[in-house]
Amino acid sequence: MANTEWENQTYITEFILLGFGNLPELHLLLFLLFLAIYILTVGGNLLIILLILTDHHLHTPMYFFLWNLSFLETCYTSNSLPRMLESLLTAVIKLSCSETHLMELVVFLLSSIFSLPPLLLTLSSYLCILSTILRIPSTTGRQKAFSTCSSHLIVVTLFYGTIIIVYLLPKNNVLRNLNKVFSLFYTVLTPMANPFIYTLRNKEVKNVLSKGVRKIRAFMRENIGT
């Protein structure tokens, strides 16, 4: 009996990541879309890194944190998007012919540990921030603070919400079909949005960027004039 069960096992030595294999007519469009997103993401984050490194006014703890965030987003995106451009996303667990309940349980537990506590900590931090904003006497100041926090919360909700949908919710047919789409939100869109929401909307960064653009224009005029 043991030998029979052993002989009935299926051995998989290789597999192909098909990504959106059921949509071959959209492959070119998806490739161009992801390529544009990758260029925009890396370009935006590298711009933040360059601005913070070259301007001493931005050498503060807050901008040091944003520098690290941009650096990590660049590495994170460069680790996933080029591979996605080649073969796009797919789920590997379902390729297994063996029982997957244990693996799915492990994925659920690890996802819960690494996603829910940071989400709760982030939300509690924003609750404290919102309570502080409500005590601002100026209406204009409150509106400006709410505008900043709301954009931050959109990114947080987008990132953690899609992770929870993909890894923690029970898999029905609808969610199973939409998993690839939801995965794109936290692997692609969030890194692209971060530099624009957390840094490029900042007044100090805008001023540094404007000065840099003026210097480049002056340099080009001098060279063209000579």
Side-chain angles (χ1 to χ4, degrees):
M1 178 66 69
N3 291 335
T4 302
E5 292 179 354
W6 182 262
E7 292 173 357
N8 287 334
Q9 294 293 322
T10 301
Y11 296 96
I12 299 176
T13 58
E14 62 180 13
F15 57 86
I16 301 174
L17 298 176
L18 295 177
F20 295 93
N22 58 335
L23 299 172
E25 68 279 4
L26 296 180
H27 279 190
L28 178 59
L29 178 61
L30 291 173
F31 176 83
L32 295 175
L33 175 62
F34 293 146
L35 179 61
I37 290 174
Y38 180 59
I39 293 173
L40 189 60
T41 302
V42 174
N45 282 292
L46 289 180
L47 177 62
I48 298 305
I49 293 173
L50 180 63
L51 291 176
I52 294 175
L53 286 178
T54 56
D55 195 283
H56 68 277
H57 294 99
L58 302 181
H59 293 176
T60 62
M62 182 185 76
Y63 289 106
F64 177 73
F65 167 77
L66 293 175
W67 184 95
N68 279 275
L69 177 63
S70 294
F71 177 76
L72 292 175
E73 293 287 16
T74 302
C75 296
Y76 172 67
T77 306
S78 298
N79 183 57
S80 58
L81 259 178
R83 185 69 180 90
M84 191 187 303
L85 289 173
E86 181 180 353
S87 61
L88 303 180
L89 298 175
T90 190
V92 177
I93 292 179
K94 296 302 180 183
L95 295 174
S96 175
C97 296
S98 59
E99 184 60 46
T100 62
H101 289 302
L102 179 59
M103 179 63 69
E104 291 174 353
L105 177 61
V106 172
V107 170
F108 175 81
L109 292 176
L110 291 177
S111 301
S112 300
I113 293 172
F114 289 108
S115 63
L116 294 181
L119 173 61
L120 294 175
L121 179 62
T122 303
L123 292 179
S124 62
S125 299
Y126 274 102
L127 287 176
C128 294
I129 293 173
L130 291 175
S131 65
T132 303
I133 292 174
L134 292 174
R135 291 195 293 269
I136 297 177
S138 170
T139 303
T140 304
R142 286 199 303 269
Q143 290 176 347
K144 184 177 179 180
F146 271 123
S147 175
T148 302
C149 286
S150 62
S151 59
H152 293 181
L153 283 173
I154 289 173
V155 176
V156 170
T157 303
L158 183 68
F159 182 77
Y160 286 107
T162 50
I163 284 180
I164 290 172
I165 291 173
V166 171
Y167 293 105
L168 299 183
L169 294 186
K171 296 297 182 292
N172 54 41
N173 291 331
V174 176
L175 286 181
R176 192 173 292 111
N177 293 329
L178 291 176
N179 267 358
K180 294 177 184 179
V181 177
F182 289 134
S183 298
L184 293 177
F185 281 83
Y186 68 83
T187 57
V188 175
L189 296 185
T190 301
M192 182 184 68
N194 277 339
F196 300 97
I197 289 179
Y198 287 106
T199 310
L200 290 178
R201 293 182 63 192
N202 186 287
K203 185 177 180 180
E204 290 181 332
V205 176
K206 286 182 179 179
N207 292 335
V208 172
L209 183 58
S210 297
K211 287 194 302 184
V213 172
R214 287 195 296 269
K215 288 180 180 179
I216 292 174
R217 287 178 177 175
F219 176 79
M220 292 179 65
R221 280 197 299 266
E222 290 176 2
N223 284 289
I224 293 174
T226 57

